[in-house]
Amino acid sequence: GAVVSQHPSRVICKSGTSVKIECRSLDFQATTMFWYRQFPKQSLMLMATSNEGSKATYEQGVEKDKFLINHASLTLSTLTVTSAHPEDSSFYICSADTGTSGGTDTQYFGPGTRLTVL
Amino acid sequence: SQQGEEDPQALSIQEGENATMNCSYKTSINNLQWYRQNSGRGLVHLILIRSNEREKHSGRLRVTLDTSKKSSSLLITASRAADTASYFCATVPYSGAGSYQLTFGKGTKLSVIP
């Protein structure tokens, strides 16, 4: 149980285009989903926290107009990288909280999406 | 800012040996978690230890937590080549309801040589 999927797993796009990444909880409802960014050989940096039906909370330094997050249902959150540039190339990972124990328990991670902007 | 700091950054051992990774953090926590990441893949949750726990076991994994020193260690016994991966600690801060963001350390890259 507690499987999280991401789509696509890999995407290459031209500079200036927008890319949408989907994160789905397959067998549970996720009231909260998280989006992380990971540069090569580095750790995960939290970008934003996404709650179903409300606006996402962005971490300091993350541009909300550039990284649009929509958590439209209890099983789906999307991250849209708008007007992508080469510096946006990274590994984007989502996770979902099962909502047990006041939200402080395990997050389940998706397999990640490798974005390359040419 | 980074909460957890793992050390060593990289560790290379022979198959069958034990591997120990350490993690230090700065603020009070609700719990600390260890994750594993194979190259270019997502994260796999290994074990969670709460602030009122001192030690936890799961198969070949042993995690300790010393809240007075704000540190944790992950021990993998009888390592296998398949254990080769990066290992991250992540903390959940202790600050009341709704605080469940994970803050990750920089990770330890473990290589187990067959």
Side-chain angles (χ1 to χ4, degrees), chain A residues 21-115:
Chain A
I21 302 170
E22 292 185 350
C23 176
R24 292 181 187 272
S25 57
L26 297 185
D27 49 5
F28 65 98
Q29 293 185 331
T31 53
T32 304
M33 287 183 171
F34 303 87
W35 287 95
Y36 297 84
R37 183 175 181 175
Q38 185 180 32
F39 290 104
K41 299 182 180 179
Q42 294 192 27
S43 187
L44 281 75
M45 297 297 294
L46 180 65
M47 299 175 65
T49 301
S50 166
N51 290 294
E52 186 266 337
S54 63
K55 291 184 179 180
T57 303
Y58 290 82
E59 294 300 299
Q60 192 172 12
V62 178
E63 299 176 60
K64 61 180 180 180
D65 294 330
K66 177 142 185 82
F67 299 100
L68 300 179
I69 292 172
N70 187 330
H71 194 156
S73 75
L74 287 172
T75 58
L76 173 65
S77 176
T78 60
L79 167 68
T80 301
V81 183
T82 62
S83 187
H85 288 96
E87 57 265 30
D88 298 325
S89 298
S90 190
F91 193 54
Y92 292 88
I93 306 177
C94 72
S95 70
D97 192 305
T98 59
T100 59
S101 301
T104 57
D105 265 331
T106 308
Q107 289 181 21
Y108 293 92
F109 285 79
T113 296
R114 172 78 58 195
L115 170 64

Side-chain angles (χ1 to χ4, degrees), chain B residues 21-67:
Chain B
M21 289 160 268
N22 302 297
C23 169
S24 61
Y25 57 92
K26 297 176 181 175
T27 61
S28 295
I29 61 171
N30 178 290
N31 66 72
L32 184 145
Q33 303 176 31
W34 284 92
Y35 288 84
R36 166 199 168 119
Q37 183 181 36
N38 286 71
S39 182
R41 307 291 291 273
L43 272 73
V44 174
H45 179 260
L46 295 176
I47 200 164
L48 179 155
I49 186 165
R50 300 190 185 281
S51 61
N52 61 351
E53 298 175 311
R54 292 295 166 259
E55 188 170 311
K56 210 161 182 180
H57 296 253
S58 177
R60 292 185 296 114
L61 306 180
R62 183 175 81 109
V63 168
T64 63
L65 179 64
D66 187 335
T67 52

Side-chain angles (χ1 to χ4, degrees), chain B residues 81-93:
Chain B
D83 294 329
T84 295
S86 291
Y87 293 82
F88 294 91
C89 71
T91 54
V92 174

